[in-house]
Amino acid sequence: GENVEQHPSTLSVQEGDSAVIKCTYSDSASNYFPWYKQELGKGPQLIIDIRSNVGEKKDQRIAVTLNKTAKHFSLHITETQPEDSAVYFCAVPSQGGSEKLVFGKGTKLTVNP
Amino acid sequence: EAQVTQNPRYLITVTGKKLTVTCSQNMNHEYMSWYRQDPGLGLRQIYYSMNVEVTDKGDVPEGYKVSRKEKRNFPLILESPSPNQTSLYFCASSLSIRVDTEAFFGQGTRLTVV
């Protein structure tokens, strides 16, 4: 099955700084790479995703980059704000496109005012 | 409002006492699944369902049962709970069975088995 490694497990930044979270995966056939944000006391929520036919996707202050050759993708948050504090999960399809996602172990991001 | 609703939000129970966590979605989604979230282990899938009466095991199905008698409901059943099932549980649903479809998660159920 698919193996997903997510780093770092915790990340603390000052408000206004950038934050980067990276995930590596093992199955080269994987073609869909979402990122979910889990705020305290809530369920995860999709914030951005990328498909294997593009290398980068942006949505305001967040962006995801994909390196298929190296089999890793990253979440970039610029101009961080306290409300960005949350746990972030990456995910990849199990077995290169089957009907379920395999999630990374999560990164707890803290943005200090 | 489109949502996935889990009940209860918090539950403390004793070892061996059967319990059910309910999950309901109002979006007419085909795909539903259950996850457990543990510190340092992230989200692990317990069971999933691709449609009514179609269920399959996820990565950690031992000790759990599910049913999908109606499209909107997907209860998680613990026949004989044990302390190692103490965890935070999430139900999720997606419009289709395609993995590249957004998953909508419920608010979570924090279960403690003593």
Side-chain angles (χ1 to χ4, degrees):
Chain A
E2 179 64 271
N3 184 36
V4 184
E5 292 195 6
Q6 182 173 344
H7 297 282
S9 57
T10 60
L11 180 58
S12 183
V13 300
Q14 289 299 122
E15 184 176 358
D17 287 350
S18 295
V20 181
I21 304 169
K22 182 177 177 179
C23 280
T24 60
Y25 58 97
S26 57
D27 187 351
S28 57
S30 293
N31 54 11
Y32 175 66
F33 308 92
W35 284 93
Y36 282 79
K37 176 183 181 182
Q38 183 182 18
E39 296 177 348
L40 194 62
K42 297 184 178 180
Q45 185 174 11
L46 179 70
I47 54 171
I48 195 167
D49 57 18
I50 193 168
R51 297 168 200 276
S52 59
N53 58 343
V54 297
E56 182 176 3
K57 182 177 179 181
K58 284 185 179 180
D59 183 2
Q60 300 182 337
R61 294 186 299 106
I62 62 173
V64 55
T65 57
L66 172 64
N67 185 326
K68 284 219 77 180
T69 303
K71 291 189 280 188
H72 65 72
F73 60 110
S74 299
L75 177 70
H76 304 255
I77 307 174
T78 58
E79 300 172 27
T80 54
Q81 301 168 2
E83 52 264 39
D84 295 328
S85 296
V87 179
Y88 292 83
F89 292 97
C90 63
V92 296
S94 176
Q95 298 173 1
S98 71
E99 63 274 5
K100 63 175 185 172
L101 289 172
V102 176
F103 286 85
K105 291 181 168 48
T107 297
K108 183 176 181 180
L109 173 64
T110 303
V111 180
N112 302 300
Chain B
E1 180 189 354
Q3 60 187 0
V4 178
T5 303
Q6 294 177 228
N7 279 296
R9 291 290 310 275
Y10 302 92
L11 179 59
I12 301 174
T13 190
V14 296
T15 299
K17 185 177 181 182
K18 180 179 178 180
L19 66 90
T20 299
V21 184
T22 63
C23 174
S24 180
Q25 49 92 6
N26 62 359
M27 297 170 278
N28 201 35
H29 283 175
E30 287 187 357
Y31 187 96
M32 298 186 74
S33 57
W34 276 102
Y35 294 85
R36 60 178 289 173
Q37 183 177 12
D38 302 290
L41 297 178
L43 290 162
R44 295 180 293 168
Q45 192 181 55
I46 303 170
Y47 267 95
Y48 64 95
S49 169
M50 291 194 282
N51 213 325
V52 175
E53 302 292 1
V54 181
T55 63
D56 207 348
K57 296 176 180 179
D59 298 314
V60 287
E62 294 79 19
Y64 305 94
K65 286 175 56 177
V66 293
S67 69
R68 188 94 181 271
K69 294 187 172 65
E70 307 163 282
K71 197 171 187 179
R72 63 183 295 130
N73 296 323
F74 190 47
L76 179 70
I77 303 155
L78 284 72
E79 294 270 5
S80 182
S82 62
N84 65 9
Q85 293 178 299
T86 292
S87 187
L88 178 58
Y89 291 86
F90 288 101
C91 178
S93 73
S94 304
L95 180 61
S96 84
I97 64 173
R98 284 173 58 96
V99 73
D100 59 351
T101 310
E102 180 176 0
F104 293 83
F105 285 81
Q107 296 275 67
T109 296
R110 186 166 292 281
L111 172 66
T112 302
V113 184
V114 298

